[in-house]
Amino acid sequence: MLRLCLAVAVSVAAVSAAFSQSDPIAARRDAMRAVSSATRDGAAIAEGRAPFDAAKVRSIFETYSRSAKAMPQLFPEDSRSGGQTRAAARIWEDRPGFTAALAKFDKDAVQAAADSKEVASFRAAFDRVAANCTSCHEAYRTRR
């Protein structure tokens, strides 16, 4: 059973990778949905609506880190428009700043995972990491 699950996971990853190469806008939207879902889970823990669970907390920050690492490749030059993208032109105009923002998000997520030993330390770490989302969206995402 474990081998079957592993084989399915590898297959899904391969299909996702191929899909992201053919449709980077859809791939980055999927990555942002994963971050959004992790953020909802984190907010529930931080606000006391869900119990502190070390495995869940680790998963939240791993999702952030994985997405931060993937994002730079999901913004090729030919994906500036279409697919209802909200990516701002500044991403391509300030590629070093955009890449640095994602690297900071990744670094902060990794550190937050290490720092989150119980709910109080998780709250502080979660707030620090979530600030990355706000600053990046303000700089690199268009408003509706």
Side-chain angles (χ1 to χ4, degrees), residues 68-83:
K69 285 179 175 100
M71 281 290 175
Q73 294 76 38
L74 298 179
F75 290 86
E77 187 65 36
D78 64 350
S79 70
R80 287 180 175 237
S81 61

Side-chain angles (χ1 to χ4, degrees), residues 99-113:
T99 303
L102 290 168
K104 182 180 181 315
F105 181 43
D106 178 31
K107 180 182 173 194
D108 289 352
V110 169
Q111 185 62 52

Side-chain angles (χ1 to χ4, degrees), residues 1 3 27 63 89 105 133 138 142:
M1 184 63 154
R3 287 183 187 157
T63 297
F105 181 43
C133 299
E138 287 174 357
T142 61

Side-chain angles (χ1 to χ4, degrees), residues 32-125:
M32 290 308 300
R33 283 184 181 135
V35 168
S36 179
S37 178
T39 301
R40 279 191 300 276
D41 292 345
I45 295 169
E47 295 167 3
R49 293 181 285 114
F52 179 85
D53 175 329
K56 183 66 173 177
V57 164
R58 194 170 36 257
S59 174
I60 290 165
F61 293 128
E62 285 172 355
T63 297
Y64 289 167
S65 179
R66 188 172 43 254
S67 295
K69 285 179 175 100
M71 281 290 175
Q73 294 76 38
L74 298 179
F75 290 86
E77 187 65 36
D78 64 350
S79 70
R80 287 180 175 237
S81 61
Q84 299 177 337
T85 185
R86 293 184 58 204
R90 186 168 177 204
I91 290 170
W92 293 273
E93 295 163 359
D94 180 25
R95 183 60 78 155
F98 179 64
T99 303
L102 290 168
K104 182 180 181 315
F105 181 43
D106 178 31
K107 180 182 173 194
D108 289 352
V110 169
Q111 185 62 52
D115 292 347
S116 297
K117 306 293 185 210
E118 36 62 44
V119 72
S121 59
F122 168 74
R123 282 185 188 124

